[in-house]
Amino acid sequence: MNNLINDIKNAKEVFWENPKYFSFNQAIKNIKITEDDVKEAMLRLKRFRPYIKSVYPDISDGIIESPLIKVSKLKSRLESTFNKKISGEVLLKCDNELPISGSIKARGGIYEVLKHAEELAIKHHLLDIDSDYAVINNDKFRQFYSQYKIAVGSTGNLGLSIGIIGAKLGFKVFVHMSKDAKTWKKELLRSLDVAVVEYDADYSEAVRCGRMEAEKDPSMYFIDDENSQDLFLGYAVSSYYLKKQLDEMNIIIDDNNPLYVYLPCGVGGGPGGITFGLKLIFKDNVHCFFAEPTHSPCMLLGLLTGLHDKISVFNFGLDNKTLADGLAVGRPSGFVGRTLEHLISGVYTVNDENLIKLLKIMKDTEGIKLEPSALAGVYGMISVKESAKKVTHLVWATGGGMVPDDEFVKLYEL
């Protein structure tokens, strides 16, 4: 344990296997969120499909989903570059291609905004759950929503998803951005008349200030990335679509063919929700590993110490500075850590040098443009111990679809 702590303090890459990992049936007993909650979220998203299709005609059937693809060229290059044999199929879940905001945050962030919009409209008798939600795409609803405000603290992508859909509905949106947020993300939000509040501080401070502002204003709804069950459920819905995609590809997941999923982790909401959803479906046949930068391993430290949100990377002398801006979080979600502490199989860390190396490999082999944050998932196949069973590896590509070409070139040329 001391050696592991020292390596973390020295920003070395580590792999931590969770000693508190339980079987699904044992772990689920202590979790208050249920499968019914996830299915309710699915039904809500289904009700909103006509609206999504109305405002984004290019989105097929109004479903916010991403492709699942095989990346055999990537696998071969990883094996030669890192001198490690990777057994089994390697898949990429392309959330970098998610409609509307081009990252995994288009799941949780958009879901919570839609839920809030639905609740307001039903409360004021403008809508009921049997309505055709395409009706929301008119000036009457936009005028109605303009009376209300939405706020969020973000390193970038969550703010983008909430800002884009919130502004589309008509809400006044305030995004509190940490110093790690990229300039192009701020500029895109401002172009949509979203108010961007900048901080010369990290993610936790942006969230804290956003929460305080919302508490003073009864018309403002705060989306709490650190504690939101609605964000969590929006992410969890993805597991049902993934199951269908795996079936269509004739990929079997069972006792002899486990699924290893590698999930980039910032505060923990996205990977946490996805882990919960996948566990509901595949139970003990899926193992979810969280990926964090060596300078920002907040979830690892929270789980390792059992202190969750009561501990920060700064307590270990780390600076929380990384090219993976979406993962630059100093303190983890206590809600996610406590909810899933017996379901997360392990956590590994990756340094910025390897993130950039993987960014180039992904572009060169598969022609796919990902953000540095999203490449953290790819490193899982290098970090995680091989299983004796036939493993299907699944990398969750969390973002990159909206990165401007000139910004990507700068990263590629590092």
Side-chain angles (χ1 to χ4, degrees):
M1 176 67 80
N2 287 336
N3 287 339
L4 177 63
I5 293 292
N6 285 334
D7 284 348
I8 294 170
K9 284 182 175 179
N10 291 315
K12 292 184 178 180
E13 293 182 340
V14 300
F15 170 69
W16 174 77
E17 187 173 356
N18 185 5
K20 294 182 179 178
Y21 179 79
F22 288 175
S23 69
F24 174 78
N25 288 335
Q26 185 180 5
I28 200 69
K29 293 175 184 176
N30 300 317
I31 298 177
K32 295 178 181 178
I33 303 170
T34 68
E35 187 168 16
D36 286 341
D37 294 325
V38 182
K39 288 181 176 177
E40 182 183 338
M42 287 183 70
L43 289 173
R44 180 168 290 109
L45 287 168
K46 187 176 182 179
R47 292 196 292 273
F48 269 98
R49 285 181 194 173
Y51 170 74
I52 297 296
K53 180 68 175 172
S54 173
V55 292
Y56 298 105
D58 293 339
I59 299 179
S60 177
D61 298 323
I63 300 173
I64 301 171
E65 248 317 313
S66 71
L68 178 67
I69 63 172
K70 294 181 180 181
V71 282
S72 55
K73 293 177 184 176
L74 171 71
K75 175 185 173 181
S76 297
R77 182 70 68 84
L78 290 176
E79 289 180 325
S80 60
T81 301
F82 293 96
N83 194 28
K84 180 177 180 180
K85 177 66 178 173
I86 301 169
S87 62
E89 199 79 69
V90 177
L91 306 175
L92 189 72
K93 182 59 174 161
C94 300
D95 272 12
N96 55 301
E97 296 183 27
L98 272 177
I100 302 178
S101 64
S103 83
I104 191 173
K105 302 300 184 180
R107 298 185 182 280
I110 289 175
Y111 171 73
E112 183 156 356
V113 172
L114 295 179
K115 183 185 179 192
H116 181 55
E118 181 186 59
E119 289 174 344
L120 283 174
I122 290 174
K123 178 182 177 181
H124 290 85
H125 310 292
L126 297 174
L127 196 69
D128 63 60
I129 61 170
D130 295 319
S131 301
D132 178 352
Y133 279 27
V135 72
I136 297 172
N137 183 22
N138 68 37
D139 289 339
K140 175 184 175 182
F141 274 85
R142 282 185 283 273
Q143 182 63 36
F144 168 69
Y145 289 131
S146 71
Q147 305 170 73
Y148 298 94
K149 302 166 188 171
I150 293 175
V152 65
S154 175
T155 59
N157 284 345
L158 182 63
L160 276 184
S161 69
I162 288 166
I164 290 169
I165 195 67
K168 181 68 73 173
L169 282 157
F171 288 103
K172 292 183 175 71
V173 186
F174 297 78
V175 179
H176 298 259
M177 297 286 242
S178 69
K179 64 180 178 182
D180 308 287
K182 300 297 184 188
T183 300
W184 70 265
K185 295 180 182 180
K186 299 173 189 175
E187 290 175 350
L188 176 56
L189 285 169
R190 289 188 174 113
S191 75
L192 299 171
D193 292 327
V194 172
V196 176
V197 186
E198 298 185 62
Y199 295 87
D200 188 25
D202 75 348
Y203 162 87
S204 296
E205 181 66 8
V207 172
R208 187 186 72 82
C209 292
R211 188 185 291 119
M212 283 177 54
E213 286 299 309
E215 286 171 356
K216 300 174 189 173
D217 187 344
S219 71
M220 184 177 287
Y221 177 79
F222 182 66
I223 294 179
D224 192 340
D225 197 13
E226 294 180 335
N227 300 296
S228 172
Q229 182 170 313
D230 289 329
L231 285 177
F232 186 89
L233 291 171
Y235 298 121
V237 168
S238 63
S239 57
Y240 291 87
Y241 291 102
L242 180 69
K243 172 65 165 66
K244 182 181 177 184
Q245 290 173 320
L246 289 169
D247 289 345
E248 289 170 349
M249 295 172 75
N250 296 315
I251 293 174
I252 296 170
I253 306 300
D254 59 20
D255 290 350
N256 297 313
N257 301 275
L259 178 66
Y260 279 26
V261 184
Y262 309 108
L263 296 152
C265 178
V267 75
I274 287 169
T275 294
F276 182 70
L278 291 175
K279 283 291 184 178
L280 287 175
I281 292 174
F282 299 109
K283 300 182 171 57
D284 297 329
N285 296 325
V286 64
H287 291 277
C288 296
F289 300 93
F290 287 13
E292 297 187 293
T294 52
H295 285 247
S296 307
C298 66
M299 184 59 72
L300 170 57
L301 291 171
L303 291 168
L304 175 65
T305 62
L307 294 173
H308 301 295
D309 57 337
K310 305 303 180 187
I311 200 162
S312 162
V313 301
F314 300 114
N315 298 133
F316 286 76
L318 296 167
D319 59 12
N320 196 31
K321 293 179 180 178
T322 172
L323 289 171
D325 57 305
L327 311 183
V329 177
R331 191 182 301 275
S333 165
F335 158 63
V336 171
R338 293 184 184 92
T339 301
L340 298 183
E341 63 182 339
H342 301 303
L343 287 178
I344 298 167
S345 290
V347 184
Y348 63 89
T349 61
V350 54
N351 62 41
D352 280 7
E353 181 183 355
N354 277 324
L355 289 177
I356 294 302
K357 183 184 293 184
L358 292 167
L359 179 144
K360 295 174 182 177
I361 290 172
M362 180 67 77
K363 185 69 171 68
D364 292 346
T365 58
E366 303 290 346
I368 296 172
K369 183 178 73 174
L370 296 183
E371 288 182 298
S373 299
L375 276 310
V378 177
Y379 203 60
M381 290 172 286
I382 308 304
S383 293
V384 176
K385 299 171 185 175
E386 280 286 331
S387 167
K389 298 180 179 180
K390 183 183 176 185
V391 174
T392 296
H393 302 273
L394 192 154
V395 174
W396 214 285
T398 49
M402 295 189 75
V403 176
D405 288 340
D406 60 334
E407 292 290 333
F408 182 80
V409 169
K410 289 177 188 175
L411 290 167
Y412 187 89
E413 292 179 346
L414 284 177

